[in-house]
Amino acid sequence: MDLAYVCEWEKKPKSNHCPSIPLVCAWSCRNLIAFTTDLRNEEEKDLTHMVHIIDTEHPWDVYSVNSGHTEVITCLEWDQSGSRLLSADADGHIKCWSMTDHLANSWENTVGSVVEGDPVVALSWLHNGVKLALHVEKSGASNFGEKFSRVKFSPSLTLFGGKPMEGWIAVTISGLVTVSLLKPNGQVLTATESLCRLRCRVALADVAFTGGGNIVVATSDGSSTSPVQFYKVCVSVVNEKCKIDTEILPSLFMRCTTDPARKDKYPAITHLKFLARDMSEQVLLCASSQNNSIVECWSLRKEGLPVNNIFQQISPVVGDKQPMILKWRILSATNDLDRVSAVALPKLPISLTNTDLKVANDTKFFPGLGLALAFHDGSVHIVHRLSLQMMAVFYGSSSQRPVDEPALKRPRTAGPLVHFKAMQLSWTSLALAGVDSHGKLSMLRISPSMGHVLDMNMSLRHLLFLLEYCMVTGYDWWDILLHVQPSMVQNLVEKLHEEYMRQNAALQQVLSTRIVAMKASLCKLSSSTIARVCDYHAKLFLIAISCTLKSLLRPHFLNTPDKSPGDRLTEICSKITDVDIDKVMINLKTEEFVLEMTTLQSLQQLIQWVGDFVLYLLASLPNQGSPVRPGHSFLRDGASLGMFRELMVVIRIWGLLKPSCLPVYTATSDTQDSMSLLFRLLTKLWLCCREENHITEPDDALIDECCLLPSQLLIPNIDWLPINDGIISKLQNKQLVRLQFGKAPGLVGHTVSSQFDAFVRAPGQPKIDHLRRLHLGAYPTEECKSCTRCGCVTMLKSPNKVTAVKQWEQRWIKNCLCGGLWRKMPLSYS
């Protein structure tokens, strides 16, 4: 493990952020991190309980909000989509936070619930019934269905038709369980019930879910001499009211309390966690003294109940009729450790063939198998989640020491050491975020090999497997990019494409844009592939325009065949290889292309981009030998050229209805039919590469005609990429980057970012709305938002009123072309 970056608060004379007690943090599947601090006002001598939300790519751009909680915040919990956040406090108030206008740096409290005066000790969203299992031992399989399988798992509660009902469950310090359900109409149904008839104090608790739709709650009163209790909770809706039923499950005593040598050594249980939200059969316990801790892992198993011989003679037990009971069995325990300050559990749903972990040698160091333990001396250990054996270690600045030195023999330094008070592993377990006792946020890389020597192919295989997992689930893959070196990029992109092409056609269509976005983010990390980033972004834009324009076509008669006008357009354009655009048009039913004049005019900016890009591609054909030139990959991409050809035909037809919607070209001759010329050259180029397995070189005549294009038409400048000010490209050299919340870094770029700058607009130049293709001026006056991943910029509010353009804009209301989240930009952005 090593530090990637550290972000800390600016010291101010009158108000400062200090760590809250307890300090909590949460990491979403969209790579948003939420954590808490207390804002201390020196003049008024009061504390404001703050919630901070950052995007890991722009950690300095923190969104800090006064939570409105009157007591300290005890829990933070993201939902399964990573777009909503729950916060709970020591006064029993629970608040649900949602994005404002789908912006990652703007949040608002929408709904909530309360158990007045009863501190919340555990909090979780109800399970939505979606569970995907990773089969690490099958990471070399060709089919995604073998690597990632859907597990049969019931939601905690369902609406009519089986749709999962949204809501949350919380456990309070007095032993109450409260459930709040979000109805589709916005109402909140809340019910509260005691976990058992004899209520007792609950110092620690955690929530997990079973495959049958039930909820399991684990509780402890904080004393290691008391049992850890488990309860089954069933939630239902009866007569429009929420109902809670509870049932006691088998409990356990920690092993260290039954060992005579350690009976009174660890008086307090400090951490109680299920190993996963959907794994209620395995629990992690940590007991501590003032200076030391011990960690135990337990598993719930079904065991046969032995029957006395006397009763067996009366009624012999045959086969499966033997009575079974549930019993907790200890899986593993650590030796004496330094005092544990925080625990972070993996979120990868890895499917293990058995609890003894007899997996293949090439997967036993897989990152998702480890959990993180932080200690008061500043160190962090990654241990196996079941065997608790050491897998990796990180020493803070104050904890440098030999690994094998016993904890009890180390001299204690005077004064408190800086240590992590809250930690979270990323969703692929390749990164660890920790907030320390000074309120500073640290981002750690966790090597895919877990510090063990693995060959390059095995490390690539691990990264590829996790990239595929993110592609299938839709999770953000920023934490994987932390480990991609420039030398790996080409290999990873090729292997990712190979694995994608092995899937069936239906799955390829579903993942078609996600893999392009993934390739773009990878190519951004190497100077040799930076030009391909431009091509991938252009391809995403082309796919989006093609889908939108085709969706506007309507059949002339309702009783038409199964194929839509868009499908027929594709079929006819692929069959008719004529270079004359008018001859291709004759074969189409032009009445299907009739649209309102205002609609056609509103699409002019998108149509102009298509025309400009086709002209640029054809003009660059004579320089095709240079792979560093943007657009190079399109010259061999038959599918993309076919899309351009279809769009040129559609635009030609629309131009007959509304000539002002046609792309505008600056020609040297007034009689030049630019659309016909470009379509003829485009068709010739498309014929060279229409068959993927039989690509031929363009003939000399085509190249000569393309050489003449600059003398016939003015070649436009293409706005390739938006400026991307993210942190990921600055972390390539493995040097620690120090940041400050609220201040954008003035980092000196390296070779990748300097080559990247050749394809973006320099600061001070006129800006452009990358989605609407509108010019905003050098200093835009309209509020804009930018993508957290690719940096794509677009206006926050729509200037259009035409339905067709609103349809285009609605496609990007939640996410960018690349799938990244939006963040609001200041008016004076440059």
Side-chain angles (χ1 to χ4, degrees), residues 165 254 311 451 458 489 550 596 621 627 811:
M165 195 167 191
M254 288 191 69
F311 294 104
M458 193 52 62
V489 170
K550 285 182 180 179
E596 293 180 6
L621 181 60
R811 294 173 69 96

CSV table of all heavy atoms in Angstrom, one decimal, residues 165 254 311 451 458 489 550 596 621 627 811:
chain,number,residue,atom,x,y,z
A,165,MET,N,-39.3,-2.3,-2.6
A,165,MET,CA,-39.7,-1.0,-1.9
A,165,MET,C,-38.5,-0.4,-1.3
A,165,MET,O,-37.7,-1.1,-0.6
A,165,MET,CB,-40.8,-1.3,-0.9
A,165,MET,CG,-41.5,-0.1,-0.4
A,165,MET,SD,-43.0,-0.5,0.5
A,165,MET,CE,-43.8,1.2,0.6
A,254,MET,N,-17.5,-14.1,22.7
A,254,MET,CA,-16.2,-14.1,22.0
A,254,MET,C,-15.3,-15.1,22.6
A,254,MET,O,-15.3,-15.4,23.9
A,254,MET,CB,-15.6,-12.7,22.1
A,254,MET,CG,-16.3,-11.7,21.2
A,254,MET,SD,-15.3,-10.1,21.1
A,254,MET,CE,-13.9,-10.6,20.2
A,311,PHE,N,-33.0,-42.7,22.7
A,311,PHE,CA,-34.1,-42.2,21.8
A,311,PHE,C,-34.0,-42.7,20.4
A,311,PHE,O,-34.9,-42.9,19.7
A,311,PHE,CB,-34.1,-40.7,21.9
A,311,PHE,CG,-34.4,-40.1,23.2
A,311,PHE,CD1,-33.5,-39.6,24.0
A,311,PHE,CD2,-35.8,-40.1,23.7
A,311,PHE,CE1,-33.8,-39.1,25.2
A,311,PHE,CE2,-36.1,-39.6,24.9
A,311,PHE,CZ,-35.1,-39.1,25.7
A,451,GLY,N,1.0,-6.9,-2.4
A,451,GLY,CA,2.4,-6.9,-2.0
A,451,GLY,C,3.2,-8.1,-2.3
A,451,GLY,O,4.4,-8.1,-2.1
A,458,MET,N,-0.5,-11.6,-14.5
A,458,MET,CA,-1.4,-11.8,-13.5
A,458,MET,C,-2.0,-10.5,-12.9
A,458,MET,O,-3.2,-10.4,-12.6
A,458,MET,CB,-0.8,-12.6,-12.3
A,458,MET,CG,-1.8,-13.2,-11.3
A,458,MET,SD,-3.0,-14.2,-12.2
A,458,MET,CE,-2.0,-15.4,-12.9
A,489,VAL,N,-1.5,0.3,-20.6
A,489,VAL,CA,-2.7,0.8,-21.3
A,489,VAL,C,-3.1,0.1,-22.5
A,489,VAL,O,-4.2,-0.4,-22.7
A,489,VAL,CB,-2.6,2.3,-21.5
A,489,VAL,CG1,-3.7,2.8,-22.4
A,489,VAL,CG2,-2.6,3.1,-20.2
A,550,LYS,N,-32.4,9.0,-35.4
A,550,LYS,CA,-33.2,7.9,-35.9
A,550,LYS,C,-34.5,7.8,-35.1
A,550,LYS,O,-35.6,7.3,-35.7
A,550,LYS,CB,-32.4,6.6,-35.8
A,550,LYS,CG,-31.4,6.4,-36.9
A,550,LYS,CD,-30.7,5.1,-36.7
A,550,LYS,CE,-29.6,4.8,-37.7
A,550,LYS,NZ,-28.9,3.5,-37.5
A,596,GLU,N,-41.4,18.6,-38.4
A,596,GLU,CA,-41.7,20.0,-38.3
A,596,GLU,C,-40.5,20.8,-38.6
A,596,GLU,O,-39.4,20.5,-38.3
A,596,GLU,CB,-42.3,20.3,-37.0
A,596,GLU,CG,-43.6,19.7,-36.6
A,596,GLU,CD,-44.2,20.1,-35.3
A,596,GLU,OE1,-43.5,21.0,-34.7
A,596,GLU,OE2,-45.2,19.5,-34.8
A,621,LEU,N,-7.4,11.7,-44.4
A,621,LEU,CA,-7.1,10.4,-44.9
A,621,LEU,C,-5.7,10.3,-45.5
A,621,LEU,O,-5.0,9.3,-45.3
A,621,LEU,CB,-8.2,10.0,-46.0
A,621,LEU,CG,-8.0,8.6,-46.6
A,621,LEU,CD1,-8.0,7.5,-45.6
A,621,LEU,CD2,-9.0,8.4,-47.7
A,627,PRO,N,-0.7,7.6,-36.3
A,627,PRO,CA,-1.7,7.1,-35.3
A,627,PRO,C,-1.9,8.2,-34.2
A,627,PRO,O,-2.8,8.1,-33.5
A,627,PRO,CB,-1.1,5.8,-34.8
A,627,PRO,CG,0.4,5.9,-35.0
A,627,PRO,CD,0.6,6.7,-36.3
A,811,ARG,N,-31.3,13.0,-22.3
A,811,ARG,CA,-30.4,11.8,-22.3
A,811,ARG,C,-29.3,12.1,-21.3
A,811,ARG,O,-28.7,11.1,-20.8
A,811,ARG,CB,-29.9,11.6,-23.7
A,811,ARG,CG,-30.9,11.1,-24.7
A,811,ARG,CD,-30.2,11.1,-26.1
A,811,ARG,NE,-29.3,10.0,-26.2
A,811,ARG,CZ,-29.5,8.8,-26.7
A,811,ARG,NH1,-30.7,8.5,-27.1
A,811,ARG,NH2,-28.6,7.9,-26.8
